[in-house]
Amino acid sequence: MPSRTPPSLGPRVRDLRRQRQWTLEELAERSGVSRAMISKIERAETSPTVAVAARVASALGVGLSELIQPPSARARAFVTRLADRAEFRDPKTGFVRELISPPFENRRFELVRHHLPKDASTGVLPPYPRGVEKQVVVLRGKLRVHVAGITYALETGDGLFFEADVEHEFENAGRGDCSYHLVVGAAPGR
C-alpha cells in the first residue's frame, strides 16, 4: 500500500504550537513528549508513533485527524478519493490510520480505517475530552480493545462502542493483519 502520509505533519505541529504562542518546552510539558522529539517532528526529521502523535494532538486541543490534515470549509457534498485520503503511518509498528471522512471544521463525527499488522498495537492512547465516543467494527482479523482496564476481544464483524474519555488501546490479537473502521463522535448535546 503506497504511503499517503501528508508531508506537512511537522510544519502543522509547529503552526498549531505557534498559534497558541507556546514554546517547544510548553508543548513538551503539556503533551508529555520530550522537547527534542517535538523539535525533530517539527523539522520532519522523524515520524512519531501514533501514541506520540495522539499525545501531541491532545495537548494542542485537536484530534489526530486534524493534526494530520488541516480542516477545510464544509461542503454540501464531498467525495473522498482513495488516493487523496490523509494517512498516518506509525514507523515503529506499521499501524496505519486512514481518514475517510472529509476534513471539515467542526465535524460531529469522523470515520477512519485502521490497519494493524500482526503483533502490532497502537500503544496506549490518551483520553479524549468528555463526551467523545468511539464505535469500532472489525473488518478483518481479531482485535483486542483495552478500555479503562477492561479488555474486549473482537472478531471479524464484531463491533464495540465505548466512551473515549479514558486511556485506551487497540491491539491485533490474530495471526494475520487486522483492519477495522472506527467512528469517532461527540455525544448529543456536547
Side-chain angles (χ1 to χ4, degrees), residues 2 6 19 24 39 51 56 58 60 71-72 89 95 101-102 104 106 115-116 122 124 136 144 146 150 155 165 172 181:
Q19 285 173 14
L24 285 169
S39 179
V56 170
S58 179
L60 290 167
S72 60
R89 287 182 178 267
F95 165 79
S101 298
F104 295 150
N106 302 318
H115 172 82
L116 278 169
T122 60
V124 176
V136 180
R144 274 193 292 266
H146 307 282
I150 300 172
E155 296 188 15
D165 60 349
N172 185 334
H181 277 153

Side-chain angles (χ1 to χ4, degrees), residues 47-52 88-97 114-125 169-172 176-178 180:
S47 295
T49 64
V50 69
V52 168
F88 174 85
R89 287 182 178 267
D90 186 319
K92 183 176 179 184
T93 65
F95 165 79
V96 178
R97 183 181 199 276
H114 285 183
H115 172 82
L116 278 169
K118 182 181 174 196
D119 300 324
S121 162
T122 60
V124 176
L125 301 173
E169 177 180 9
F170 301 94
E171 177 185 11
N172 185 334
D177 290 351
C178 177
Y180 53 97

